[in-house]
Amino acid sequence: MAKIYLKTKLNTLGRAPTVRIANMVFRWCQRNLGVNKRKKWAPAWYVVKSWDDGGGDMGEYDAYDNEIFIYYDNIPDVRELIRTIIHEWTHQNQPILTKYYKYPGSYSRNPYERAARYAELKWTPVIWNELKNKINKQCTEGCHLTNSKGKTTA
């Protein structure tokens, strides 16, 4: 079985291993980054195909329903999957409904977006170091990588 790295392309992993990795990262975030106390429940998360052809969004946080959507078909590799989950989880902990949209500047200069991007850089190596052995252990039991020609590798 091929080992999974941060640079492993999601399209070679397939949906089931991608969802398994995403669920491990979400559970890590819930345990270590916490849950927004202003909400009455923990966020729900979904790892789904994007319904917006060519939109390119990798994820989004719905503050009204407290849901995180990860669009795995728009995410190139394991590193970006982890970063996207951290980014959206950070938004889950921010006052999105009351303060995020009141910022008058651009998206890239929004302090809540900056905080989410900083969290990506800070937590991605930590999460990978904690989960990589578990990811690869689980993957030896049920993952099959495909090469560029669509052939399954062991």
Side-chain angles (χ1 to χ4, degrees):
M1 178 67 234
K3 195 168 181 181
I4 294 176
Y5 300 96
L6 284 172
K7 293 180 181 180
T8 300
K9 303 291 183 203
L10 293 189
N11 62 3
T12 65
L13 279 180
R15 185 177 188 283
T18 298
V19 170
R20 275 199 297 274
I21 293 168
N23 284 335
M24 286 187 234
V25 175
F26 272 119
R27 287 191 297 271
W28 188 96
C29 288
Q30 191 169 17
R31 280 190 315 271
N32 296 283
L33 302 181
V35 175
N36 188 331
K37 304 253 188 284
R38 295 177 301 275
K39 301 288 183 179
K40 294 182 179 13
W41 62 89
W45 61 76
Y46 305 95
V47 182
V48 296
K49 273 194 163 191
S50 174
W51 53 76
D52 181 16
D53 290 338
D57 287 341
M58 292 187 275
E60 69 178 297
Y61 172 61
D62 178 349
Y64 292 102
D65 293 325
N66 200 24
E67 296 174 327
I68 297 172
F69 295 90
I70 301 299
Y71 304 118
Y72 71 92
D73 56 324
N74 290 342
I75 299 175
D77 55 32
V78 173
R79 173 182 278 118
E80 281 303 315
L81 175 66
I82 295 169
R83 288 182 66 157
T84 301
I85 292 169
I86 295 166
H87 186 102
E88 301 309 330
W89 194 270
T90 301
H91 285 323
Q92 177 272 146
N93 275 320
Q94 294 172 332
I96 299 296
L97 294 175
T98 57
K99 295 184 180 177
Y100 179 94
Y101 294 110
K102 291 181 180 175
Y103 180 73
S106 67
Y107 172 84
S108 63
R109 307 250 334 143
N110 185 311
Y112 297 105
E113 286 300 326
R114 287 180 157 199
R117 286 191 299 275
Y118 174 77
E120 292 176 32
L121 297 174
K122 179 179 179 181
W123 294 114
T124 297
V126 174
I127 291 172
W128 179 248
N129 284 332
E130 287 189 31
L131 296 180
K132 66 183 172 186
N133 291 334
K134 186 175 180 181
I135 287 168
N136 280 297
K137 181 180 178 187
Q138 273 198 349
C139 217
T140 58
E141 299 165 0
C143 296
H144 298 285
L145 299 177
T146 56
N147 62 22
S148 59
K149 297 176 184 172
K151 302 272 186 193
T152 302
T153 60

